[in-house]
Amino acid sequence: MSTINLPLNLTVRVHPVVLFQIVDAYERRNADLVRVIGTLLGSVDKGVVEVTNCFRLPHKEHSDQVEAELSYASDLYELNQRVIASENIVGWWATGQEVTNHSSVIHDYYARECPNPVHLTLDTSLTGARMGIKAYVCVSLGVPGGKSGCMFTPINVEVTSYEPEIVGLQLCMKTIGLQSNPNRPRTVSPMLDLAQVTDASDKLLALLTDVLAYVEDVLNEKQQPENTVGRALLDLIHSVPNMTGDQFAQMFNSNVKDLLMVVTLSQLIKTQLQLNEKLTSLTSFLN
């Protein structure tokens, strides 16, 4: 048996916006659709497939064939290229927790659109109370001069985030438990800048407390030391700038003043815009 093109060392990194788009497409599907499929957009670099965007591909699955609106997918991809030219087709996604009989047919289409496309599945049925994510590549199998086939082989998949996405995820996490606790507000709003600084400082203080407790337990021989943790702590200490307490306080106060200046200017601009809107409405009413 011979194997052809084995990209099994790939790692797929999926951004949260992709997962939200897949769930949204699943929630908006027609009632007769069992699953939803679509195109993955992103980039490939040094064995890492980073998925930053996606869109749905309208389709229908029958027992013996698959119908898909390929012209719609082509037009949507061209429009996306005009906005973000760096996002290319890297594979396709489907809702569900398993590869189906029609997956190989759909994969053949994407194999013509990009080399070594990846297949991402998202379990929107929440099997085991978790939204499982899996990634596959299609490995060609066969013997010389005989029939050939393909096999979907799992590869590593991770969820990664940009810093702005992390802020959005933290805000979404505040909505967890709304159904179980009706007294909680139904909506949440972003915190003010100073409130975010305070919240981040409290979390940092809690983490430092845990680190100090671990170090004291190791020194008192209450816990076995771990080399990986020790190296991480050493790198952390080396990354901290060498400055006195007064220098740190001066730097922090300077940054806080800059933040307050930005907040003041933004509020002033907002007030001017509201005043201009009022004056415009009054002028229109008088005329």
Side-chain angles (χ1 to χ4, degrees):
M1 179 178 294
S2 63
T3 57
I4 306 174
N5 295 331
L6 291 175
L8 301 181
N9 57 343
L10 288 177
T11 298
V12 179
R13 294 178 180 175
V14 186
H15 285 258
V17 65
V18 177
L19 304 179
F20 281 118
Q21 287 177 295
I22 295 176
V23 172
D24 181 69
Y26 179 78
E27 292 293 329
R28 296 174 185 269
R29 75 191 189 282
N30 295 331
D32 57 338
L33 287 180
V34 178
R35 69 170 185 166
V36 184
I37 67 172
T39 302
L40 296 175
L41 302 176
S43 59
V44 182
D45 183 29
K46 297 179 180 179
V48 177
V49 180
E50 187 165 0
V51 184
T52 55
N53 200 356
C54 71
F55 59 84
R56 179 190 172 187
L57 174 61
H59 84 298
K60 290 183 179 180
E61 296 184 11
H62 305 281
S63 59
D64 56 346
Q65 64 179 353
V66 178
E67 298 178 2
E69 299 182 15
L70 302 182
S71 59
Y72 170 84
S74 178
D75 294 340
L76 197 57
Y77 175 62
E78 291 179 1
L79 290 174
N80 189 82
Q81 281 283 288
R82 297 181 182 180
V83 180
I84 309 177
S86 60
E87 288 186 346
N88 300 311
I89 296 178
V90 295
W92 64 288
W93 59 266
T95 57
Q97 58 178 335
E98 295 179 354
V99 177
T100 65
N101 296 331
H102 297 306
S103 296
S104 58
V105 178
I106 303 173
H107 199 85
D108 288 340
Y109 162 72
Y110 284 97
R112 297 191 296 268
E113 298 295 323
C114 66
N116 296 326
V118 298
H119 176 35
L120 184 74
T121 61
L122 184 65
D123 184 13
T124 50
S125 62
L126 301 179
T127 303
R130 292 183 59 87
M131 186 173 294
I133 306 174
K134 296 180 181 179
Y136 304 88
V137 291
C138 192
V139 179
S140 299
L141 301 175
V143 294
K147 294 183 179 180
S148 62
C150 64
M151 179 180 63
F152 284 92
T153 304
I155 57 176
N156 296 329
V157 59
E158 304 172 354
V159 177
T160 185
S161 306
Y162 297 129
E163 290 187 1
E165 292 176 328
I166 295 176
V167 176
L169 290 176
Q170 291 175 348
L171 188 63
C172 291
M173 290 177 62
K174 294 183 179 180
T175 63
I176 297 177
L178 289 179
Q179 295 181 352
S180 60
N181 186 3
N183 295 326
R184 294 184 60 180
R186 301 296 301 173
T187 59
V188 293
S189 302
M191 293 187 301
L192 298 176
D193 294 335
L194 289 178
Q196 292 184 18
V197 173
T198 303
D199 185 61
S201 299
D202 293 338
K203 292 181 179 178
L204 180 60
L205 182 60
L207 292 175
L208 290 176
T209 302
D210 294 339
V211 171
L212 290 175
Y214 169 78
V215 173
E216 291 178 356
D217 289 342
V218 171
L219 293 177
N220 296 328
E221 297 182 354
K222 295 181 180 180
Q223 186 172 350
Q224 292 294 330
E226 297 184 10
N227 295 333
T228 55
V229 177
R231 295 190 187 97
L233 292 178
L234 183 61
D235 294 338
L236 176 63
I237 294 174
H238 288 165
S239 64
V240 177
N242 187 13
M243 61 176 62
T244 62
D246 294 338
Q247 291 175 336
F248 178 80
Q250 183 180 0
M251 179 191 68
F252 181 79
N253 291 332
S254 177
N255 292 332
V256 170
K257 291 179 181 178
D258 294 340
L259 177 61
L260 292 175
M261 179 62 69
V262 172
V263 172
T264 303
L265 292 176
S266 63
Q267 292 294 335
L268 180 60
I269 294 173
K270 181 179 179 181
T271 303
Q272 290 179 342
L273 291 175
Q274 292 176 346
L275 180 60
N276 180 68
E277 183 180 357
K278 297 286 186 182
L279 293 175
T280 303
S281 301
L282 180 60
T283 304
S284 301
F285 177 76
L286 293 177
N287 293 336

